[in-house]
Amino acid sequence: MRRLLALSMLPLMACENEFNVGLSGVALIEPPDSPLSVTYECAEGPALSVIYYQKNGTATVAMLGVGQQVLFEQRTGSGFLYRNDQFELRGKGREANWNEFGVRTTDCEAVGDRI
């Protein structure tokens, strides 16, 4: 009976990895490359809510009056830069600059302690 029980547990042990609870492991609460949500208060205009998806190099920005926009990560020498054909979000650390091409640009700062 014990051999049967041990053999029946082999498929479960084979599926164990760092993202699920295995028979002898502990689950990670957040897997690596999980999205990072940041809220920015801006000098001019409403706040920005940004979800950074580092794994696929995108950021989703939600702003009153603009709706939701998907921006794509661009290479920079320092800091971060995400853009599409209408909007740009760039910055370093807690500071960011939101640019609506041809409309306005505003300086923003992250609120909270998630960044």
Side-chain angles (χ1 to χ4, degrees):
M1 181 68 155
R2 287 185 185 187
R3 286 184 190 171
L4 182 59
L5 179 60
L7 289 174
S8 67
M9 294 175 75
L10 283 176
L12 293 175
M13 289 188 272
C15 294
E16 181 182 346
N17 65 33
E18 65 270 22
F19 302 113
N20 63 18
V21 177
L23 298 173
S24 61
V26 176
L28 292 176
I29 294 171
E30 250 180 275
D33 296 324
S34 60
L36 173 65
S37 179
V38 179
T39 299
Y40 294 93
E41 287 185 0
C42 299
E44 298 175 24
L48 295 174
S49 294
V50 182
I51 302 174
Y52 294 97
Y53 298 93
Q54 295 173 341
K55 189 173 184 174
N56 65 2
T58 62
T60 300
V61 178
M63 181 181 191
L64 190 63
V66 173
Q68 244 182 0
Q69 296 290 323
V70 176
L71 308 180
F72 302 92
E73 186 175 27
Q74 309 294 309
R75 286 194 164 181
T76 64
S78 179
F80 60 88
L81 170 60
Y82 292 83
R83 70 185 310 166
N84 64 17
D85 60 344
Q86 296 177 301
F87 303 97
E88 177 181 272
L89 179 66
R90 77 167 51 233
K92 187 172 184 180
R94 302 181 64 79
E95 306 296 320
N97 180 273
W98 174 248
N99 186 0
E100 296 177 57
F101 298 135
V103 179
R104 69 177 163 175
T105 193
T106 186
D107 293 323
C108 307
E109 185 175 343
V111 293
D113 58 0
R114 294 221 37 183
I115 195 165

